[in-house]
Amino acid sequence: MSKFDEIMAIVESYLSNEEVRSIKKAYNAAKMAHESQVRLSGEPYLTHLEEVAFILAEMRLDASTIIAGLLHDTLEDTNLTRHMIEGAFGQEVAAIVDGVTKFNKIPLSSEYAHKLKNFCKFLLALSSDIRVVFIKLADRLHNMRTIEHQLPDKIRKISLETLRVFAPLADMVGVNKIKDELELLSFVQVRPEEAEAVQLRLEELSSKNKKLIDSIVADFERLLKNTFFNFKVSGRLKTAYSIWEKMRKRNFNLLQLNDIVAIRIIVNSVEDCYYALGIVHSAYQAVQGTIKDYISSPKSNRYQSIHTVVLGPYKQQLEVQIRTKEMDKMAEYGVAAHWNYKRKTGNTDNFENYKWLRGFLNHIGERSFYPPSDQNKNNDLFCDEVFCFTPNGDVITLPREASVLDFAYNIHTLVGNTCIGAKINGDTVPIQKKLQNGDTVEIITSPFQRPVPSWISKVVLKKSREAINRSLKSQKCKEYSEIGQKIVKQSMMNFSQNCSEEEIKQQLMISLGCESLDDLYVKTGQCIITSQQISQVLCQQKSDKIKRSGQYSKPYSIVMVEAEGTSNIFYNLINVFFAHDAEVLDVKTEIIKDNKIAISFEIYRTDLPEMQELTKSLSDVEGVINIEEQI
């Protein structure tokens, strides 16, 4: 029987005729698409797809998953497009295949993978449809089964990746059958000497204990048959990897290894589980502190069973697991078994709609080379973050509710400041569009774009808000600077001095306490520094220069002006003196009362007619109350 015939034999036992026909159609499409491709072993590439589909069928997964399993490499390795898959097999299958393709772009072996806290949880969060994870686990399992065809360095790299990522991922979704095989296959490659030593010790103990295991199983069967009509007892040797893990954690050597047998009791109901536990404990002494009730308190991956360790019939420690048939299926296939049960009972909720999936993700802890089983169970990364891709496949982690604009600022401030929109999965969207797990985001920019105040409400990242505020402040400062530059320039034009423009500006900066020329312009534009202050400084500078040069001995007059203290009064008066070519030598200001000021201008003495004209022009200035001349 061919592998495809084996697949058909399984799926025909639980899927409809229409679904079976769709799987055959997908098989033919995959066969045609990968027709010229071969694996490193020299086998047709189709054999890998058959094996993946067979693993998925053994898990009794739905037709869409098996079809996607057959097509999972088509988007990357063939000319088939998502549009073509959607047209032939529907949007659901196309989305799963696309999810597998995105999964393949995640840098599993990079430093990023090992630095990101809860990396396996990140993978689950990214896979909006859990069926993507099942396909990747099946894909990795078959690749590990045939890993001998890879180069030595590649073998170690893939095996480490499997131990660090895929075995813990299988544990998270409760697929213990796949987890155990992935761990064992990887262990043999990553630590070949330890694996061989443990395996030899297991074989040695197994040969001694083969009859012992059969005898123990028979003893348990005799113990239970008087109470239960329908039950099953089985014994097994623990896996080499699980034993090595226990040795490492408990710090004992191979010669001390004797706890290798596990007994499993399958009964009909939850009540029978507890009843069976009582019977076992009444017959055999329980090891204190070893009872674990995962029925009343299931593991985060929905695993349920009662565990206990007893001194068995031959005074040997035995691990005993007691569970129902449904619990046993859940222990082997986890989420997949739960979905299959729901399908049989007529509840056809989609995989991604299980509320408990999000619940158990909140209890997944950080995984490393030696994945701990029950650590860090209160992390809520899945609820708080979204994981998106750049067009190059880099992963960007952002808070949930993050927008396109947040994504842009996360890349670079300049990208954020010039963002006008984005393409998400090929569709053009505005800057406020919220991101979803797995989105591929391409930012669209324009050199003419600038941040505006309304952008603040479109972002959730503190980094984004700070960048927008800095840009808005910079834009405002630029406007103030342009205004201030004009005021300073006009004031300097009104005071003709035998100094370079740069020298005058430097003197203004020092006198007015500015850190830079731009600081002078901005403060002037903001009216922190007024034109009156600038004119006063310029007048004082000119007066000091005249005094130093000895020109101050020429006759001069003092014009006293009493005026209302308006903001522009000083500037307007100075302009009158300049308009009459009256050279101002010094200016002094005194506040009188009731918002009135007295300003004294020292000027070179002029002829009487000219003085009269000057006085008249000064009195015409708005706010001037009285003018006097002192000689």
Side-chain angles (χ1 to χ4, degrees):
M1 181 183 289
S2 69
K3 181 59 67 173
F4 181 66
D5 289 336
E6 291 181 47
I7 296 170
M8 288 296 101
I10 296 173
V11 297
E12 285 171 357
S13 68
Y14 72 95
L15 294 178
S16 68
N17 292 335
E18 184 179 350
E19 289 172 323
V20 171
R21 284 193 294 270
S22 294
I23 292 172
K24 290 179 180 178
K25 179 182 175 182
Y27 176 80
N28 291 328
K31 184 177 182 180
M32 186 177 298
H34 294 279
E35 186 175 15
S36 60
Q37 298 172 3
V38 294
R39 306 194 80 213
L40 291 176
S41 63
E43 296 176 307
Y45 194 82
L46 184 65
T47 59
H48 171 65
L49 306 176
E50 289 174 334
E51 293 292 343
V52 169
F54 180 77
I55 293 168
L56 298 172
E58 279 191 314
M59 295 167 69
R60 297 297 193 271
L61 292 173
D62 66 327
S64 294
T65 309
I66 296 171
I67 292 169
L70 288 166
L71 302 172
H72 76 270
D73 279 331
T74 52
L75 292 184
E76 278 190 304
D77 299 337
T78 76
N79 293 325
L80 286 183
T81 65
R82 174 169 176 164
H83 180 72
M84 293 165 67
I85 294 174
E86 186 171 338
F89 301 100
Q91 193 276 333
E92 185 180 21
V93 170
I96 298 172
V97 175
D98 187 54
V100 174
T101 304
K102 286 179 178 177
F103 196 112
N104 293 338
K105 294 180 181 179
I106 300 168
L108 299 178
S109 298
S110 70
E111 288 186 5
Y112 180 85
H114 305 311
K115 287 181 180 178
L116 179 62
K117 189 177 182 181
N118 298 330
F119 184 68
C120 292
K121 185 178 175 184
F122 150 74
L123 298 179
L124 278 173
L126 191 61
S127 304
S128 57
D129 191 321
I130 198 71
R131 289 172 288 188
V132 170
V133 174
F134 293 138
I135 292 171
K136 283 306 302 178
L137 289 174
D139 174 63
R140 178 52 60 110
L141 179 57
H142 183 247
N143 284 335
M144 286 302 300
R145 287 172 177 172
T146 56
I147 200 170
E148 69 275 7
H149 301 291
Q150 297 282 353
L151 295 173
D153 288 348
K154 198 76 177 291
I155 288 175
R156 179 170 176 79
K157 171 182 172 291
I158 294 171
S159 298
L160 272 172
E161 186 179 279
T162 302
L163 268 182
R164 286 170 169 164
V165 178
F166 286 93
L169 191 60
D171 184 35
M172 288 181 191
V173 294
V175 191
N176 289 321
K177 187 175 182 179
I178 291 179
K179 175 189 78 78
D180 290 345
E181 189 173 353
L182 287 175
E183 286 176 341
L184 183 58
L185 292 170
S186 303
F187 180 45
V188 170
Q189 301 297 339
V190 173
R191 295 186 175 272
E193 293 179 1
E194 290 94 328
E196 184 179 7
V198 173
Q199 194 61 44
L200 286 173
R201 178 63 173 160
L202 271 177
E203 289 173 4
E204 178 185 343
L205 292 173
S206 176
S207 61
K208 292 179 181 179
N209 294 332
K210 179 66 175 72
K211 291 182 179 179
L212 180 63
I213 294 174
D214 292 341
S215 177
I216 291 172
V217 169
D219 282 346
F220 272 86
E221 287 176 340
R222 282 193 295 271
L223 182 66
L224 297 170
K225 71 178 182 179
N226 294 328
T227 306
F228 300 106
F229 293 104
N230 191 2
F231 68 93
K232 180 181 178 182
V233 179
S234 61
R236 64 177 179 87
L237 291 175
K238 296 180 179 178
T239 66
Y241 181 77
S242 67
I243 290 173
W244 179 74
E245 273 277 85
K246 186 175 292 187
M247 288 170 54
R248 183 183 64 81
K249 290 177 180 177
R250 297 184 182 179
N251 195 28
F252 62 80
N253 58 41
L254 285 172
L255 294 177
Q256 295 171 297
L257 178 62
N258 54 26
D259 178 16
I260 65 170
V261 178
I263 298 297
R264 184 172 299 164
I265 300 172
I266 308 297
V267 292
N268 283 336
S269 67
V270 171
E271 291 79 7
D272 286 349
C273 290
Y274 292 101
Y275 196 9
L277 176 66
I279 293 173
V280 171
H281 280 177
S282 66
Y284 304 112
Q285 181 183 345
V287 176
Q288 190 173 3
T290 61
I291 301 175
K292 296 179 181 178
D293 185 357
Y294 294 119
I295 294 180
S296 61
S297 300
K299 287 187 178 183
S300 56
N301 59 15
R302 284 213 152 190
Y303 173 87
Q304 288 183 293
S305 184
I306 296 175
H307 291 193
T308 185
V309 177
V310 299
L311 293 177
Y314 302 95
K315 303 303 179 185
Q316 183 181 29
Q317 284 194 6
L318 298 174
E319 179 184 341
V320 181
Q321 300 171 352
I322 306 171
R323 60 182 68 146
T324 66
K325 293 177 183 178
E326 290 74 20
M327 292 174 189
D328 194 47
K329 290 178 182 177
M330 189 71 182
E332 282 199 346
Y333 293 119
V335 176
H338 182 80
W339 174 83
N340 190 43
Y341 171 77
K342 299 277 277 187
R343 182 185 59 80
K344 285 181 179 179
T345 58
N347 189 331
T348 56
D349 289 346
N350 291 332
F351 268 108
E352 59 271 31
N353 289 338
Y354 286 137
K355 292 180 181 178
W356 61 267
L357 271 179
R358 292 179 178 249
F360 91 73
L361 284 170
N362 291 331
H363 297 284
I364 299 302
E366 183 175 353
R367 304 291 175 146
S368 61
F369 175 67
Y370 306 113
S373 58
D374 293 303
Q375 296 180 0
N376 305 324
K377 288 190 173 182
N378 293 313
N379 195 300
D380 60 351
L381 175 65
F382 179 80
C383 295
D384 293 341
E385 295 181 325
V386 292
F387 306 98
C388 302
F389 292 101
T390 66
N392 293 330
D394 296 325
V395 179
I396 303 293
T397 307
L398 295 169
R400 190 158 292 279
E401 299 299 316
S403 66
V404 164
L405 202 52
D406 283 307
F407 188 97
Y409 276 111
N410 192 74
I411 294 172
H412 195 277
T413 300
L414 183 60
V415 176
N417 286 342
T418 56
C419 177
I420 60 173
K423 286 186 177 180
I424 295 183
N425 306 323
D427 298 327
T428 303
V429 298
I431 59 174
Q432 68 269 21
K433 176 70 175 179
K434 302 296 183 185
L435 301 176
Q436 303 295 324
N437 275 321
D439 282 345
T440 298
V441 185
E442 180 183 355
I443 298 297
I444 304 170
T445 62
S446 168
F448 305 106
Q449 177 71 301
R450 293 292 181 272
V452 295
S454 63
W455 280 18
I456 296 293
S457 63
K458 294 178 172 61
V459 296
V460 297
L461 274 179
K462 181 181 178 183
K463 174 182 178 181
S464 304
R465 288 194 299 271
E466 289 176 346
I468 293 168
N469 283 326
R470 282 196 305 270
S471 180
L472 292 175
K473 184 178 179 181
S474 176
Q475 291 178 51
K476 203 67 179 174
C477 285
K478 187 177 180 182
E479 294 173 8
Y480 286 138
S481 180
E482 291 173 354
I483 294 170
Q485 193 169 358
K486 291 178 182 178
I487 294 173
V488 171
K489 185 176 181 180
Q490 182 62 44
S491 298
M492 290 172 59
M493 288 175 60
N494 293 336
F495 286 86
S496 57
Q497 298 189 29
N498 296 323
C499 296
S500 70
E501 185 175 314
E502 290 304 315
E503 286 178 336
I504 297 172
K505 289 176 181 177
Q506 287 297 320
Q507 290 169 356
L508 282 172
M509 284 166 48
I510 294 169
S511 299
L512 296 170
C514 297
E515 297 178 357
S516 64
L517 191 58
D518 191 57
D519 188 31
L520 171 66
Y521 292 153
V522 171
K523 287 180 177 177
T524 302
Q526 292 175 317
C527 294
I528 296 172
I529 295 174
T530 65
S531 57
Q532 175 180 338
Q533 291 172 290
I534 294 172
S535 298
Q536 283 180 314
V537 172
L538 292 173
C539 284
Q540 188 63 49
Q541 288 174 358
K542 187 168 185 178
S543 175
D544 292 344
K545 188 171 183 180
I546 290 171
K547 289 176 181 177
R548 288 194 300 271
S549 66
Q551 297 176 11
Y552 201 59
S553 58
K554 296 168 68 174
Y556 66 92
S557 298
I558 297 177
V559 178
M560 298 291 297
V561 179
E562 184 181 347
E564 299 281 354
T566 60
S567 60
N568 293 324
I569 186 68
F570 185 88
Y571 187 73
N572 294 335
L573 291 171
I574 283 289
N575 283 335
V576 171
F577 282 103
F578 292 150
H580 287 269
D581 294 327
E583 195 165 358
V584 179
L585 305 175
D586 195 9
V587 180
K588 294 178 181 176
T589 304
E590 181 184 356
I591 298 175
I592 306 173
K593 61 179 180 178
D594 298 331
N595 199 33
K596 293 184 177 67
I597 58 173
I599 309 172
S600 64
F601 296 90
E602 290 187 20
I603 63 171
Y604 285 124
R605 189 178 299 168
T606 61
D607 296 335
L608 185 59
E610 292 177 355
M611 190 64 193
Q612 288 176 338
E613 289 181 15
L614 174 62
T615 302
K616 183 179 183 306
S617 296
L618 288 171
S619 64
D620 290 337
V621 174
E622 184 180 357
V624 171
I625 299 171
N626 185 45
I627 299 172
E628 293 181 4
E629 180 186 7
Q630 298 176 2
I631 299 175

